[in-house]
Amino acid sequence: MQCDTKFDFIKRKHHCRRCGRCFCDKCCSKKVPLQRMCFVDPVRQCAECSLVSQKEMEFYDKQLKVLLGGGTFVVTLGTSEKSETMTCRLSNNHRYLFLDGESHFEVELSRISSMQILTDGTSPGENDIHTYTSLLDSHFISEGGSRASGMLLHYKPMGSQDVQQLRMEAADDKKVASLWLSAMHKAAKLLYEARDQ
């Protein structure tokens, strides 16, 4: 129970379809689609959950299409000097980054430990690495702000506890790559926020 209201035959309990807590009608009156739980039609949610669901809806409507479409990057694995031009896109099940070029490579999103978005005119430094925690408060990439030009990921490959590095820099179509990177940044923020739910 998250509401101090005394319930009876007239004042009914309502539960939020996202968090499952019980509220009175006034405290649980927002109706928002909840796609991640397969509710396509708007469902009853508390005020706190409806804000998160609104952000998710905006993400599904705008950013998800960009991530699924992909962008072209020059990719360097680890500390290798060799790089390859690859298309990076989100898998259809939203669990992997697929990198396709002459070779195919996959990164499981749940195994990413840190992400650094590089912007035009910046080079990576220790203070620039953004983990999911610091992404929550990060506003350095916006529609009118600095243009994203690359990304540095640290992740653990399947079956390994060693952290690997993946560096991606925008290739030919810098505008599409920048939009993809910005969408990836927003996705990481949503993932972090969802961990608290």
Side-chain angles (χ1 to χ4, degrees):
M1 300 289 262
Q2 293 291 287
C3 189
D4 293 333
T5 303
K6 301 289 183 210
F7 297 106
D8 55 29
F9 289 116
I10 296 169
K11 287 206 183 235
R12 295 181 53 216
K13 291 183 207 175
H14 298 278
H15 74 278
C16 172
R17 298 307 192 271
R18 185 182 181 102
C19 67
R21 296 178 293 186
C22 289
F23 298 88
C24 69
D25 182 55
K26 184 179 175 186
C27 295
C28 193
S29 62
K30 307 281 186 191
K31 290 198 174 185
V32 182
L34 189 54
Q35 288 184 337
R36 77 180 188 115
M37 296 176 109
C38 300
F39 290 109
V40 180
D41 294 328
V43 293
R44 189 179 289 268
Q45 296 180 41
C46 64
E48 185 180 326
C49 288
S50 69
L51 291 174
V52 176
S53 293
Q54 280 297 119
K55 287 181 188 177
E56 285 179 356
M57 282 296 301
E58 290 171 17
F59 177 78
Y60 277 109
D61 289 344
K62 298 175 185 172
Q63 310 304 322
L64 190 58
K65 292 172 189 162
V66 173
L67 291 173
L68 291 169
T72 305
F73 299 91
V74 176
V75 178
T76 308
L77 295 173
T79 56
S80 171
E81 294 294 320
K82 185 182 174 196
S83 57
E84 181 181 342
T85 300
M86 303 179 100
T87 299
C88 183
R89 67 177 180 83
L90 185 65
S91 66
N92 289 337
N93 67 5
H94 311 162
R95 293 178 184 215
Y96 298 90
L97 288 181
F98 287 160
L99 294 103
D100 292 305
E102 288 181 23
S103 58
H104 174 79
F105 188 73
E106 297 177 8
V107 176
E108 188 175 352
L109 293 177
S110 65
R111 299 189 61 85
I112 295 174
S113 56
S114 70
M115 175 196 304
Q116 175 184 5
I117 301 291
L118 307 173
T119 56
D120 286 337
T122 63
S123 59
E126 282 297 313
N127 297 332
D128 296 326
I129 296 199
H130 295 274
T131 61
Y132 287 144
T133 306
S134 63
L135 275 169
L136 183 61
D137 300 319
S138 174
H139 301 290
F140 68 98
I141 294 177
S142 61
E143 309 294 318
S146 300
R147 177 174 281 194
S149 61
M151 179 169 64
L152 190 64
L153 291 178
H154 290 99
Y155 67 98
K156 292 180 182 175
M158 287 300 292
S160 174
Q161 291 302 314
D162 298 331
V163 175
Q164 299 287 323
Q165 177 177 295
L166 174 73
R167 184 183 182 101
M168 300 167 44
E169 295 183 56
D172 302 333
D173 193 343
K174 297 201 184 301
K175 184 177 180 182
V176 170
S178 181
L179 288 172
W180 191 92
L181 290 165
S182 180
M184 186 64 187
H185 176 253
K186 291 173 184 170
K189 286 176 69 170
L190 271 178
L191 282 174
Y192 172 76
E193 290 170 357
R195 288 179 179 179
D196 285 346
Q197 293 278 309

